[in-house]
């Protein structure tokens, strides 16, 4: 029988990888608090309609990638492929629409059925923020500034660049959509199969295609900025002016459209060249019509999400935990006193590994494998004297220490 393996597109987060993931999420959480974003946790599965309507029936996520099922009660459910729709659902379900502005931070697993590759999995993890109820461009500026701060705090700010675009208001977007349909329809046979399908549902997504034939056609496609009304132009100018004022560098990318139907006005991506083809590490935009689309009142919104797996590949090696103290009973009769002494040291704030079995040589070998710096040896004669022998596992030096002073002495020895 072959060894059991994780499901394709999933992974076990062993301690070193989990440490990197935690560094990303905790760094992001701390920065979000500086901006007044409170943490929210939504279910990892929702009614399918929560995702299908706002994300868009014609998007790849809904058409190809969602993990959906019918439960025993006959309900259509889906694992969340992203979390903006889930957060909006939570706002509506909990009657929070009168409490704006609302500022939420989240961190957790998402699920999409797609081809696994570097930094991309079928179960993946995201951090993200949502700011609801603010019409002004200051909201867009603030969430982008928060994203930039997190990337800087992770030590990768110099490895990413910000790309920025606008999709305008619904009026501008509708005019542009008509122009795109007219342009691509006359060249339908030259489009890739996926883009021919997108032409009937979401033609803006053709602009984001990586197919060589589509890229050639996109070079001569209509430019959205020729179809923007004054309101859309002014809003984008305000966003750019705000970023300029904060010293946040960016490049306007007129082909940046993002993959979800609910975006309006600002869209943005922080990208890197250090991860191959999967260069986007943090991305989002404004979604002013989403709450209303999901049955709520008209409400403005803007947010972003970032892939923890991709960020974890970029960050410097996180600092490892302090080396533990190994508590070793010298004989069987001393095992229960060893448990008691280990707990006292933990109460004093020391990380302790209790070495359970084997002769002294094996126990010391185990302590070294665990990375312990000091071993506390508890023999019968030491316990009778109210002492322990503390051995420095790096140098081999050892000394007798009173049990009453043991915690403080170990802290002194651990200090640089």
């Amino acid at each position: 029988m072959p060894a059991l393996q994780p499901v394709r597109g999933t992974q076990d987060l062993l301690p070193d990888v989990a440490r990197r993931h935690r560094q990303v999420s905790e760094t992001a959480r701390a920065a979000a608090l500086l901006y007044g974003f409170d943490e929210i946790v939504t279910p990892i599965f929702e009614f399918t309609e929560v995702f299908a309507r706002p994300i868009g029936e014609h998007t790849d996520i809904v058409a190809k990638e969602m993990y959906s099922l019918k439960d025993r009660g006959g309900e259509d459910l889906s694992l969340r492929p992203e979390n903006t729709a889930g957060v909006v659902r939570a706002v509506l379900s909990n009657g929070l629409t009168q409490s704006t502005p609302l500022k939420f931070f989240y961190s957790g697993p998402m699920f999409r059925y797609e081809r696994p590759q570097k930094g991309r999995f079928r179960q993946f993890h995201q951090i993200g923020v949502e700011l609801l109820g603010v019409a002004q461009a200051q909201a867009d500026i603030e969430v982008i500034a928060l994203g930039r701060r997190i990337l800087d705090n992770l030590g990768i700010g110099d490895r990413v660049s910000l790309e920025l675009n606008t999709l305008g208001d619904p009026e501008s977007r509708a005019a542009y959509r008509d122009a795109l349909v007219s342009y691509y329809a006359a060249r339908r046979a030259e489009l890739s199969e996926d883009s021919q399908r997108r032409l009937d549902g979401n033609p803006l997504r053709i602009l984001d295609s990586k197919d060589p034939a589509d890229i050639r056609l996109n070079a001569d496609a209509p430019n959205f900025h020729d179809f923007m009304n004054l309101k859309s132009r002014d809003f984008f100018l305000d966003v750019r002016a705000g970023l300029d004022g904060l010293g946040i560098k960016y490049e306007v990318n007129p082909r940046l459209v993002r993959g979800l139907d609910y975006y309006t006005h600002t869209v943005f991506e922080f990208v890197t060249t250090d991860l191959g083809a999967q260069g986007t590490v943090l991305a989002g935009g404004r979604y002013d019509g989403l709450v209303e689309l999901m049955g709520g009142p008209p409400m403005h919104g803007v947010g972003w999400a970032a892939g923890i797996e991709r960020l974890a590949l970029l960050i410097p090696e996180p600092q490892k935990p302090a080396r533990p103290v190994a508590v070793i009973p010298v004989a069987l009769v001393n095992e229960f006193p060893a448990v008691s002494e280990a707990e006292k040291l933990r109460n004093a704030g020391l990380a302790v590994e209790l070495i359970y079995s084997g002769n002294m040589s094996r126990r010391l070998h185990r302590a070294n494998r665990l990375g312990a710096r000091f071993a506390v040896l508890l023999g019968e004669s030491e316990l009778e004297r109210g002492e322990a022998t503390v051995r420095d596992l790096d140098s081999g030096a050892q000394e007798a220490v009173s049990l009453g002073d043991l915690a403080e002495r170990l802290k002194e020895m651990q200090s640089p």
Side-chain angles (χ1 to χ4, degrees):
M1 179 179 178
L4 288 174
Q5 297 293 320
V7 174
R8 176 172 164 80
T10 67
Q11 61 172 337
D12 301 307
L13 300 181
L14 299 179
D16 284 346
V17 178
R19 190 177 299 116
R20 285 179 167 272
H21 277 230
R22 187 168 59 252
Q23 178 81 4
V24 171
S25 60
E26 291 181 354
T27 299
R29 185 177 289 106
L33 285 173
L34 295 178
Y35 287 72
F37 286 79
D38 289 323
E39 188 162 10
I40 188 172
V41 180
T42 61
I44 64 170
F45 60 91
E46 302 265 6
F47 292 115
T48 297
E49 185 71 6
V50 169
F51 304 118
R53 288 188 63 206
I55 294 176
E57 299 283 356
H58 298 285
T59 61
D60 286 349
I61 293 174
V62 173
K64 298 180 179 181
E65 299 172 0
M66 283 210 305
Y67 280 92
S68 299
L69 64 136
K70 192 177 290 288
D71 71 4
R72 293 183 180 182
E75 301 284 4
D76 291 318
L77 307 177
S78 292
L79 299 178
R80 62 187 184 192
E82 58 91 49
N83 208 30
T84 299
V87 170
V88 172
R89 194 275 309 149
V91 168
L92 297 176
S93 298
N94 292 281
L96 301 179
T97 57
Q98 301 302 315
S99 303
T100 56
L102 297 166
K103 303 171 80 172
F104 294 118
F105 166 84
Y106 62 82
S107 176
M110 312 293 162
F111 306 84
R112 295 184 193 176
Y113 188 88
E114 54 186 352
R115 184 169 64 87
Q117 49 193 296
K118 185 177 182 180
R120 172 175 283 184
F121 298 88
R122 290 177 177 176
Q123 177 182 313
F124 58 101
H125 300 78
Q126 286 186 337
I127 51 172
V129 298
E130 312 295 346
L131 200 170
L132 294 156
V134 179
Q136 294 89 343
Q138 286 93 322
D140 308 54
I141 298 161
E142 186 173 40
V143 299
I144 293 173
L146 171 55
R148 167 53 73 182
R149 182 181 296 270
I150 290 170
L151 296 172
D152 288 341
N153 290 354
L154 287 170
I156 60 175
D158 60 346
R159 301 176 67 182
V160 299
S161 57
L162 173 61
E163 295 187 356
L164 188 70
N165 195 24
T166 178
L167 299 178
D169 62 9
E171 178 184 315
S172 299
R173 187 165 176 168
Y176 183 51
R177 187 185 189 281
D178 290 343
L180 279 183
V181 169
S182 177
Y183 173 78
Y184 289 124
R187 299 159 178 82
R188 189 182 189 102
E190 301 174 54
L191 291 169
S192 67
E193 184 177 339
D194 276 346
S195 289
Q196 289 182 30
R197 177 176 53 81
R198 289 169 178 155
L199 179 57
D200 298 323
N202 187 0
L204 270 71
R205 293 289 289 122
I206 300 175
L207 295 171
D208 200 32
S209 173
K210 303 301 186 291
D211 184 273
D214 294 339
I215 291 173
R216 287 193 295 272
L217 286 176
N218 289 340
D220 295 322
N223 190 318
F224 176 68
H225 292 262
D226 295 334
F227 296 84
M228 280 200 300
N229 58 26
L230 184 60
K231 177 182 177 182
S232 297
R233 292 177 186 276
D234 287 346
F235 191 92
F236 194 45
L237 287 173
D238 286 345
V239 172
R240 295 180 63 180
L243 296 176
D244 291 339
L246 294 178
I248 297 176
K249 296 180 180 179
Y250 60 87
E251 179 179 345
V252 175
N253 177 1
R255 300 304 184 199
L256 175 60
V257 296
R258 303 293 300 142
L260 307 180
D261 277 0
Y262 52 62
Y263 284 118
T264 59
H265 286 297
T266 313
V267 288
F268 57 90
E269 292 184 350
F270 285 93
V271 298
T272 181
T273 59
D274 294 344
L275 293 176
Q278 299 304 318
T280 302
V281 296
L282 185 155
R286 178 168 279 270
Y287 47 86
D288 286 349
L290 178 58
V291 177
E292 190 173 7
L293 177 65
M294 294 181 67
M299 183 180 292
H300 302 277
V302 61
W304 54 252
I308 293 179
E309 280 81 1
R310 295 184 193 178
L311 292 174
L313 290 171
L314 294 172
I315 65 173
E317 182 67 31
Q319 183 176 356
K320 292 188 176 182
R323 294 170 67 182
V325 173
V327 173
I328 303 177
V330 174
L332 182 64
V333 69
N334 302 320
E335 288 186 355
F336 286 111
V339 172
S340 176
E341 291 303 322
E343 200 67 8
K344 291 177 184 177
L345 294 178
R346 292 171 182 136
N347 290 341
L350 292 163
V352 176
E353 287 279 0
L354 188 60
I355 310 300
Y356 301 104
S357 61
N359 58 33
M360 182 55 63
S361 176
R362 288 185 175 181
R363 293 192 189 213
L364 287 171
H365 180 67
R366 171 67 175 162
N368 278 305
R369 282 185 59 195
L370 292 170
R373 171 70 192 280
F374 300 102
V376 175
L377 308 178
L378 295 172
E380 191 170 356
S381 58
E382 285 98 335
L383 289 171
E384 288 177 354
R385 296 193 302 269
E387 294 179 345
T389 298
V390 176
R391 179 178 296 181
D392 186 327
L393 295 176
D394 288 353
S395 68
Q398 62 183 43
E399 63 181 82
V401 179
S402 165
L403 293 178
D405 298 330
L406 184 57
E408 289 305 313
R409 178 58 183 144
L410 286 167
K411 290 180 180 179
E412 290 173 4
M413 296 171 76
Q414 284 184 336
S415 299

